[in-house]
């Protein structure tokens, strides 16, 4: 019990550092080290961390993440985003919502090649925003659309957030990835519907384009079918149990290289850039993961994790109410901390007792990923808004967050649907993996 | 003295870039090894010996060798809710304290991880799979990456003390496109 006494000190130390622009991974690492030092002393703590850094970094399951990042970077550098976007505009540009609708549909296609919400937002910011602004689409709608539809990559496989959840919660990563398909498509469909209704009511929001003829439409598919087939191969391979997620990531990245090279879309400097970008993004993501692992190990050792777990199991509330409370906590944390840290800080504490109370862990994984998706677009630290701002500097944050508001309502609606209808998340994996 | 410092900084920059290339090479190798493994399994019903072990070990390079490069470019994810509202002098103090603590912490971690790597090398630590793979070469990435990370904090601290420039300002000056900087300034003044 005495080890618990240091928790408020460590918590305050971490919170102060966090708001002072200190890198999140380093905050977690330093806070974890402080906590361990209070229990075991500084020398043993430094020895322990020095020894553990290798063990944390040498996991086969986690190596799926850089490979999917690589696949996404190749797809983006190889011009796949432009191809998918052009095809979506050719097929759907004449409908109410025009390019905004097309961007949402294109984001679904790109999400199947990239598991990173921020890179999806960045590439669509570069590709779709100039076109939207040229066509005089309402600035808020354009900004809100691109900042939000990027989050579809956090749900549609290969979602990096779902891989991380699977590893922390010790659940089947393939099942989680497959479970993300229906909620991801459902969210995209809800976005499309919302855009269609809004633009129908106020056509000035997004001028409709002339209908492309049949030949133009078929021509537009030329650039996308191979990448979509690759995305299908990756998802299908996981669904059929032929590949592990790491193998699917490697095949996806290699396939994307082959397709981009065959189309002469990759030069030697851009290949170099793709690998360097992947290396840099991986180190940025994984320093957070390393810090969060050290910090959650401290929470476990201090007895903090088990105290919270016991508290949850002892609550005299229905399961749905406890899950809803967990979602509220995730929403609050997600507004200020990135998804990976939030998962490492909360999943080891909350998911085991919830599973013990009868919750389906796959359903919980989808709820967590969905909630963290929402955190990516909510102020003050909606990461996607800042990514978009970096790519399109002429947008103000007020415009971006103002535009996100409508999409946020749709996100919350779909979250509530998944909360009350767990089959939306569990039906497909049950179908695929129950023999 | 100034030219010596410039040469040292340039060497540090080159080393960070070199390590970033090594980690880029690691991800390429991971992709190739795993792809070969899948093809060999599908075409010849055979596994590439050690593929699982090599991919796991190469991953360590990818995590630790790019840390300093990312810090130099201010690419690590941060939250500046309070920091951004502080007066410049207070920001300099906060950053000075952070850089000093981070330098000491990662220098200590460099030492303890180097000791751990050395003892594993002496003991001949291996991962056992279809074949036996030594781990020391992958373990070495931890102290090497942490050493450069620690040195980067030291360099940024020196820069802060001598010129008063915050490291996010240095990174923005060197790596953020001019149009983004101008737009941020405009938003700040409007």
């Amino acid at each position: 019990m005495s080890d618990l006494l240091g928790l408020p000190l460590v918590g305050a130390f971490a919170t102060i550092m966090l708001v002072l622009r200190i890198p999140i991974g380093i905050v977690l690492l330093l806070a974890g080290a402080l906590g361990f030092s209070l229990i075991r002393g500084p020398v043993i703590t430094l020895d322990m961390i020095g020894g553990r850094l290798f063990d944390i970094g040498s996991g086969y399951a986690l190596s799926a993440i850089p490979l999917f990042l690589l696949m996404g970077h190749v797809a983006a550098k190889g011009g796949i985003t432009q191809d998918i976007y052009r095809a979506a505009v050719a097929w759907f540009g004449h409908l109410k919502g025009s390019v905004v609708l097309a961007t949402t549909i294109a984001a679904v296609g790109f999400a199947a090649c990239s598991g990173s919400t921020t890179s999806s937002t960045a590439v669509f910011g570069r590709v779709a925003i100039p076109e939207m602004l040229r066509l005089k689409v309402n600035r808020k709608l354009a900004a809100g659309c691109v900042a939000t539809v990027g989050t579809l990559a956090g749900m549609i496989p290969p979602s990096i957030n779902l891989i991380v959840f699977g590893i922390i919660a010790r659940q089947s990563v393939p099942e989680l990835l497959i479970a993300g398909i229906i909620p991801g498509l459902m969210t995209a469909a809800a976005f499309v519907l919302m855009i269609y209704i809004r633009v129908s009511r106020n056509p000035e929001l997004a001028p409709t384009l002339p209908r492309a003829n049949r030949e133009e439409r078929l021509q537009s598919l030329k650039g996308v079918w191979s990448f979509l087939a690759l995305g299908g191969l990756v998802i299908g391979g996981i669904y059929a149990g032929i590949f592990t997620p790491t193998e699917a990531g490697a095949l996806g990245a290699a396939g994307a290289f082959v397709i981009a090279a065959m189309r002469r879309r990759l030069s030697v400097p851009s290949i170099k850039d793709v690998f360097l970008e992947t290396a840099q993004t991986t180190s940025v993501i994984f320093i957070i993961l390393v810090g969060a692992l050290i910090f959650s190990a401290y929470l476990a050792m201090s007895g903090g994790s088990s105290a919270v777990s016991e508290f949850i199991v002892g609550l005299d509330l229905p399961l749905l109410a406890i899950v809803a409370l967990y979602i509220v906590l995730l929403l609050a944390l997600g507004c200020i901390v990135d998804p990976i840290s939030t998962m490492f800080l909360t999943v080891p504490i909350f998911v085991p007792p919830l599973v013990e109370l009868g919750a389906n862990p796959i359903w919980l994984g989808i709820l967590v990923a969905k909630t963290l998706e929402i955190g990516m677009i909510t102020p003050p630290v909606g990461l996607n808004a800042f990514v978009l701002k970096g790519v399109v500097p002429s947008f103000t944050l007020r415009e971006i967050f103002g535009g996100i508001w409508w999409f946020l309502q749709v996100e919350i609606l779909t979250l509530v649907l998944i909360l009350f209808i767990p089959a939306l998340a569990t039906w497909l994996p049950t179908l695929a993996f129950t023999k | 003295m100034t030219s010596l410092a410039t040469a040292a900084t340039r060497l540090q920059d080159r080393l960070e870039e070199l390590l970033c290339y090594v980690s880029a090479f690691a991800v390429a190798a991971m992709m190739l090894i795993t792809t070969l493994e899948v093809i060999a399994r599908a075409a010849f019903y055979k596994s590439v010996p050690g593929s699982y072990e090599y991919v796991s070990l190469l991953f360590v390079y990818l995590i630790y060798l790019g840390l300093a490069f990312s810090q130099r470019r201010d690419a690590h994810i941060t939250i500046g809710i309070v920091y951004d509202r502080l007066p410049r002098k207070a920001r300099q103090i906060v950053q000075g304290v952070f850089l000093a603590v981070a330098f000491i912490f990662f220098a200590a971690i460099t030492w303890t991880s180097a000791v751990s790597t050395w003892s594993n090398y002496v003991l001949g630590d291996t991962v056992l799979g279809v074949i036996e793979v030594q781990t020391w070469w992958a373990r070495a990435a931890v102290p090497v990456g942490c050493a450069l990370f620690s040195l980067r904090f030291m360099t940024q601290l020196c820069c802060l003390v001598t010129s008063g420039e915050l490291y996010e300002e240095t990174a923005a000056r060197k790596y953020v496109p001019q149009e983004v900087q101008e737009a941020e300034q405009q938003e700040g003044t409007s």
Side-chain angles (χ1 to χ4, degrees):
Chain A
M1 188 66 195
S2 62
D3 292 343
L4 275 172
L5 293 175
L7 261 179
L9 175 73
V10 174
F13 176 68
T15 310
I16 292 168
M17 284 198 296
L18 210 58
V19 295
L20 288 176
R21 209 187 178 277
I22 292 167
I24 296 173
I26 299 177
V27 169
L28 294 169
L29 203 47
L30 289 175
L34 174 70
F36 273 117
S37 299
L38 292 174
I39 301 171
R40 294 275 188 265
V43 176
I44 293 176
T45 299
L46 289 172
D47 271 341
M48 185 275 294
I49 294 175
R52 277 210 65 188
L53 289 182
F54 168 76
D55 301 325
I56 293 170
S58 58
Y60 183 79
L62 283 171
S63 58
I65 295 173
L67 294 169
F68 281 127
L69 284 173
L70 180 62
M71 181 181 168
H73 285 145
V74 179
K77 269 279 196 279
I80 177 65
T81 329
Q82 283 97 325
D83 290 344
I84 296 179
Y85 179 70
R86 265 186 229 119
V89 170
W91 284 84
F92 306 105
H94 63 284
L95 299 175
K96 286 197 167 64
S98 67
V99 280
V100 186
L101 206 88
T103 303
T104 308
I105 294 165
V108 176
F110 187 70
C113 302
S114 166
S116 161
T117 61
T118 47
S119 65
S120 185
T121 303
V123 290
F124 277 99
R126 286 191 196 102
V127 172
I129 293 285
E131 182 75 353
M132 287 188 190
L133 296 184
R134 188 180 67 79
L135 293 168
K136 304 259 184 290
V137 170
N138 177 282
R139 286 176 66 86
K140 276 188 182 176
L141 180 62
C145 171
V146 171
T148 312
V149 296
T151 62
L152 292 172
M155 188 59 74
I156 291 170
S159 156
I160 285 168
N161 287 350
L162 285 172
I163 297 174
V164 173
F165 177 89
I167 290 162
I168 308 171
R170 296 195 174 91
Q171 296 301 321
S172 156
V173 172
E175 278 190 52
L176 280 159
L177 289 176
I178 295 305
I181 295 176
I182 291 177
L185 293 178
M186 184 180 75
T187 309
F191 286 153
V192 165
L193 193 66
M194 182 271 287
I195 294 164
Y196 188 85
I197 293 171
R198 279 193 73 197
V199 178
S200 297
R201 287 184 176 177
N202 181 6
E204 281 180 12
L205 285 174
T208 305
L209 295 172
R211 192 188 185 106
N213 63 38
R214 192 160 167 265
E215 198 179 323
E216 282 171 333
R217 284 201 240 173
L218 291 176
Q219 187 71 20
S220 74
L221 290 179
K222 217 173 128 188
V224 293
W225 71 267
S226 50
F227 273 105
L228 290 182
L230 186 68
L233 173 82
V234 166
I235 298 168
I238 296 172
Y239 184 91
I242 301 168
F243 318 131
T244 63
T246 303
E247 290 169 349
L251 277 181
F257 266 116
V258 172
I259 294 169
M262 278 167 62
R263 293 197 189 150
R264 301 178 191 282
R265 291 275 183 83
L266 283 179
S267 58
V268 173
S270 64
I271 292 173
K272 193 185 83 180
D273 283 352
V274 158
F275 280 114
L276 281 177
E277 248 175 74
T278 308
Q280 187 179 315
T281 318
T282 308
S283 76
V284 166
I285 292 176
F286 276 86
I287 185 67
I288 295 174
L289 196 139
V290 167
L293 273 173
I294 298 284
F295 189 76
S296 59
Y298 157 67
L299 284 181
M301 186 187 240
S302 69
S305 306
S306 51
V308 177
S309 297
E310 281 164 25
F311 173 74
I312 294 167
V313 174
L315 277 175
D316 192 19
L317 285 171
L319 175 66
L320 211 57
I322 304 175
V323 174
L325 284 176
Y326 177 40
I327 288 173
V328 171
L329 174 77
L330 283 174
L331 278 172
L333 271 176
C335 289
I336 46 169
V337 189
D338 70 289
I340 292 179
S341 314
T342 310
M343 276 195 278
F344 268 99
L345 295 179
T346 64
V347 169
I349 299 174
F350 288 89
V351 170
L354 288 171
V355 171
E356 198 182 316
L357 289 170
N360 182 313
I362 301 296
W363 172 60
L364 285 176
I366 297 300
L367 284 173
V368 169
K370 181 82 196 157
T371 312
L372 295 177
E373 241 181 55
I374 296 173
M376 295 292 284
I377 52 169
T378 42
V381 194
L383 210 54
N384 274 13
F386 288 91
V387 169
L388 181 61
K389 167 84 183 138
V391 177
V392 191
S394 67
F395 276 139
T396 63
L397 283 173
R398 187 181 287 269
E399 270 176 326
I400 299 173
F401 282 121
I404 283 171
W405 172 237
W406 281 89
F407 290 87
L408 186 62
Q409 294 176 60
V410 173
E411 284 273 32
I412 290 172
L413 185 74
T414 49
L415 173 68
V416 172
L417 274 176
I418 300 166
L419 178 67
F420 284 101
I421 314 170
L424 288 170
T426 56
W427 177 72
L428 207 51
T430 310
L431 199 70
F433 297 101
T434 310
K435 303 284 181 220
Chain B
M1 188 64 191
T2 317
S3 62
L4 192 68
T6 312
T9 313
R10 200 170 295 153
L11 176 68
Q12 184 184 11
D13 288 356
R14 292 294 95 80
L15 268 174
E16 285 171 355
E17 282 152 25
L18 177 73
L19 289 192
C20 216
Y21 280 114
V22 174
S23 78
F25 172 77
V27 74
M30 285 164 67
M31 179 188 78
L32 287 174
I33 293 169
T34 313
T35 306
L36 280 177
E37 160 73 21
V38 177
I39 293 171
R41 212 173 54 211
F44 311 109
Y45 302 103
K46 280 189 177 167
S47 215
V48 175
S51 64
Y52 179 94
E53 291 75 17
Y54 278 111
V55 168
S56 303
L57 293 173
L58 280 167
F59 188 36
V60 184
Y61 278 45
L62 205 52
I63 298 176
Y64 297 105
L65 297 188
L67 287 175
F69 186 74
S70 303
Q71 175 64 21
R72 186 170 110 202
R73 298 177 76 103
D74 189 30
H76 290 292
I77 300 171
T78 56
I79 300 165
I81 315 172
V82 173
Y83 177 88
D84 293 343
R85 285 164 178 75
L86 291 177
R88 187 177 172 77
K89 190 77 202 162
R91 274 189 279 161
Q92 285 172 324
I93 293 169
V94 165
Q95 194 163 94
V97 172
F98 158 62
L99 289 171
V101 171
F103 164 68
I104 295 166
F105 179 75
F106 280 97
I109 294 295
T110 302
W111 174 254
T112 56
S113 58
V115 170
S116 165
T117 302
W118 179 252
S119 59
N120 277 285
Y121 171 69
V122 172
L123 291 169
D125 181 53
T126 55
V127 271
L128 266 176
V130 180
I131 58 167
E132 217 174 335
V133 182
Q134 296 247 336
T135 64
W136 67 267
W137 56 272
R139 286 180 185 275
V142 182
V144 171
C146 287
L148 275 186
F149 203 22
S150 165
L151 275 178
R152 177 49 57 189
F153 290 124
M154 182 58 159
T155 311
Q156 289 176 330
L157 181 61
C158 290
C159 177
L160 178 69
V161 171
T162 53
S163 70
E165 189 173 53
L166 299 160
Y167 70 74
E168 61 269 23
E169 292 168 347
T170 315
R173 182 164 50 79
K174 288 186 177 171
Y175 308 111
V176 177
Q178 191 65 33
E179 52 161 334
V180 177
Q181 288 182 48
E182 282 168 8
E184 277 172 358
Q185 275 170 4
Q186 271 175 11
E187 199 182 336
T189 52
S190 62

